[in-house]
């Protein structure tokens, strides 16, 4: 973690797990936003596992160790610790564009004009139906 904060290196990991570890090391959301830049590759949940060659001697070793982690509660503890997905709340100017009423006034005028034309059409149809 100290090498990453100093800069000069990149770290490939899942964002949610990294943020949990980052915050646990006495850093805050503000520290995360000012020191860390993350690149999101995908928003999908990924199931992870080990891939070994068929007939590999490591398959039984992995199965035994994973079963041992589950029996001792380490697997569920890690799941609880790292599964609560939380995004860092960055509120600096670079994270979004601030817009005001002058930026959307044209859209409001178009919307109001459409409503007026719809009401005018309703009145015309009402009187036309009464005449015929």
């Amino acid at each position: 973690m100290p090498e990453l904060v100093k800069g000069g290196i990149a770290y490939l990991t899942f964002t949610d797990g990294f943020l949990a570890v980052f915050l646990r090391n006495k850093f805050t959301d503000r520290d995360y936003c000012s020191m860390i830049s993350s690149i999101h590759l995908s928003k999908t949940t990924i199931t992870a596992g080990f891939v070994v060659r068929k007939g590999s001697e490591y398959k039984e070793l992995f199965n035994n160790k994973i079963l041992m982690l589950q029996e001792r509660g380490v697997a569920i503890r890690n799941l609880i610790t790292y599964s609560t997905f939380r995004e860092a709340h960055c509120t600096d100017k670079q994270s979004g564009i601030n817009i005001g009423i002058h930026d959307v006034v044209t859209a409001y005028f178009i919307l109001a004009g459409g409503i007026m034309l719809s009401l005018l059409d309703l009145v015309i149809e009402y009187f036309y139906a009464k005449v015929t």
Side-chain angles (χ1 to χ4, degrees):
M1 188 72 60
E3 294 86 12
L4 183 65
V5 172
K6 287 179 193 172
I9 66 167
Y11 188 68
L12 179 63
T13 184
F14 295 108
T15 310
D16 51 350
F18 176 79
L19 182 60
V21 172
F22 189 81
L23 295 176
R24 202 170 300 115
N25 281 306
K26 308 292 188 245
F27 291 105
T28 63
D29 280 357
R30 180 174 286 171
D31 296 330
Y32 181 85
C33 295
S34 65
M35 292 189 243
I36 305 296
S37 177
S38 62
I39 301 169
H40 295 279
L41 300 176
S42 175
K43 289 266 186 196
T44 60
T45 305
I46 301 169
T47 303
F50 295 101
V51 178
V52 294
R53 187 189 60 209
K54 282 192 174 191
S56 173
E57 62 276 3
Y58 294 112
K59 181 179 178 185
E60 192 62 33
L61 178 69
F62 281 138
N63 285 339
N64 288 336
K65 293 299 179 179
I66 290 170
L67 185 61
M68 185 175 63
L69 290 173
Q70 289 174 339
E71 288 174 348
R72 292 182 180 174
V74 175
I76 193 70
R77 185 179 68 217
N78 285 340
L79 183 66
I80 291 169
T81 303
Y82 298 112
S83 68
T84 54
F85 182 74
R86 175 170 131 20
E87 288 277 341
H89 300 291
C90 299
T91 56
D92 60 346
K93 296 283 184 191
Q94 297 173 354
S95 65
I97 299 171
N98 294 328
I99 60 172
I101 189 71
H102 62 279
D103 296 317
V104 293
V105 73
T106 305
Y108 285 131
F109 280 133
I110 292 171
L111 180 65
I115 291 171
M116 293 296 189
L117 286 173
S118 296
L119 290 174
L120 179 65
D121 186 41
L122 177 69
V123 170
I124 290 172
E125 286 183 14
Y126 177 76
F127 284 122
Y128 181 74
K130 247 185 173 184
V131 171
T132 55

